[in-house]
Every structure is written in structure tokens, then in C-alpha cells.
Amino acid sequence: MTDSSPQTNSNAVPGAADVPAAAEGQQQEQRRGGGRGDRRGGRRGDRRGQERDSEWQERVVQIRRVSKTVKGGKKMSFRAIVVVGNEKGQVGVGVGKAGDVIGAVRKGVADGKKHLVKVPLTRHNSIPTLSNGRDGAASVLIRPAAPGTGVIAGGSIRTVLELAGIKNVLAKRLGSKTPLNNARAAMVALSSLRTHKETAKERGISLEQIYS
């Protein structure tokens, strides 16, 4: 007698109803993988932005409470003087005013990054030549120093020189003691610096004649 019951084949091909389910599972896995990749890319972008921001250092020189006379009386606010630099030859001084201290510092940092100055540094992290700067009643004298001297300066001038990346320098404040004017005078002195190669090119002479 023959057995009329159907035999089940273990290697049977899946039916058409099973194919869409498998395809949907693959699509879900691809979506999950794509989402992870997008998240990783977003995290990498955030890390790069943080690295760029970490290159810059901010130091608050002074915070003062100021007032402005308006029609209804006096409007009180805060003024912050901030120095921004990357210690690689770029530095800037900014001023910010706001109703709170945090807002004033944030505006000062943004203002400082808008007024950056490129400082030429020597191999000993000093300046190439002597320089004078003046802003208002403040006058600053900056001159190069030998390796191991350090930053011989005070007040806001020292902050500007340190954030510019200068390690060996002599500076003297002449005139006003106002921190903002002294910082801006130091910026004027640093912006007027030129290397010996640039000076020789401007004068139209050789570099050997500069040293002789």
C-alpha cells in the first residue's frame, strides 16, 4: 500500500508570502544601520567643532557695572573686557555689554574674534623687533628677550602677550593705567611688527644688509 499523506521537504523554497517579510526585515536593518551612521557623522561633526573651539582661549580682563542715563532714569548693565587667543600667533581684544555678566562675556568673545591680529613669532617664541603702541593716553613698549626670560609684563598687557603665544618678551606700560587702553595699545604694537624678511622686501634690499 502506498502512503497518500504528503511528504514535507526540509529544503522547500519559501512561499511568496514569506519573501516580503524578509525584505522588510532587511530594510529595517538597513535603516537602523543608516541611522547609526548618521549619528556617528553628527558626533564627528560636533567633535570637530569642539576641537576648533578648544584651540581658542578666553580670559576676562575686567568686568564693570556701567549705567546709561535714559528718559526714565538710569539703565544698569555690565561691560566685559575679554582677550581671545590661540597661543599660536593670533590674538584679539573684545568688549561686550549686556544686562548680565554671561551675556557681556559672550559678546566680548565674539568681538575679540572679529578683531584678530597675526603676530610674527621667532623660533624662541619671542618678537622679531622692538615695537611701540599707543591708544588714547596709554603707551606700551614691547621688546624681544633672550630664551628663558619669560613674559615680563603686567596687567592686561601680560594677558595679551601670553594668549598670543609669546614666551620671552619685555614690556613696559607708559602712561595711563586703564586696562582697556593698555590692551589696545599692546594690540597696536603687535600689529605693527614685521619680520626681517618682510622689512627687507619693503625696502628693496637684501636680507644680509638688514643684519649688517
Side-chain angles (χ1 to χ4, degrees):
M1 295 176 67
T2 60
D3 190 6
S4 60
S5 61
Q7 296 180 356
T8 59
N9 187 4
S10 59
N11 297 326
V13 179
D18 298 330
V19 175
E24 289 179 359
Q26 292 180 358
Q27 290 179 359
Q28 290 179 358
E29 290 180 0
Q30 291 178 358
R31 290 175 183 176
R32 291 176 183 176
R36 292 175 183 175
D38 295 339
R39 292 176 183 175
R40 291 176 183 175
R43 291 176 182 176
R44 291 175 183 174
D46 295 340
R47 290 177 183 175
R48 291 176 182 175
Q50 291 178 359
E51 289 178 358
R52 293 176 182 175
D53 294 339
S54 63
E55 294 180 356
W56 298 95
Q57 296 185 12
E58 305 100 16
R59 291 189 189 177
V60 179
V61 176
Q62 185 187 56
I63 296 178
R64 294 186 62 182
R65 191 176 181 184
V66 296
S67 63
K68 179 181 179 181
T69 303
V70 294
K71 185 177 180 181
K74 291 185 178 181
K75 183 179 179 181
M76 307 301 296
S77 60
F78 294 92
R79 186 194 71 172
I81 304 172
V82 186
V83 180
V84 184
N86 60 355
E87 294 186 353
K88 296 179 182 179
Q90 286 186 324
V91 66
V93 177
V95 181
K97 292 182 181 181
D100 56 337
V101 177
I102 298 176
V105 173
R106 188 184 298 112
K107 289 182 180 180
V109 172
D111 186 49
K113 290 183 179 180
K114 291 179 182 178
H115 302 87
L116 293 175
V117 171
K118 183 67 176 178
V119 182
L121 301 177
T122 63
R123 59 181 180 179
H124 299 298
N125 292 326
S126 184
I127 56 177
T129 58
L130 183 144
S131 180
N132 288 311
R134 188 177 182 86
D135 183 86
S139 180
V140 175
L141 172 64
I142 303 175
R143 61 186 305 170
T149 304
V151 180
I152 309 299
S156 59
I157 304 173
R158 182 183 183 89
T159 305
V160 173
L161 296 176
E162 287 179 349
L163 291 185
I166 303 174
K167 305 296 183 182
N168 303 292
V169 68
L170 300 171
K172 180 63 177 177
R173 179 186 63 194
L174 305 171
S176 175
K177 299 181 181 180
T178 307
L180 180 57
N181 288 349
N182 283 320
R184 287 178 174 173
M187 292 291 294
V188 173
L190 295 177
S191 62
S192 62
L193 288 173
R194 296 289 184 275
T195 60
H196 297 291
K197 187 175 181 180
E198 292 175 352
T199 304
K201 186 176 180 180
E202 291 177 358
R203 295 182 181 179
I205 59 179
S206 62
L207 189 60
E208 290 76 9
Q209 294 178 352
I210 293 289
Y211 288 104
S212 65

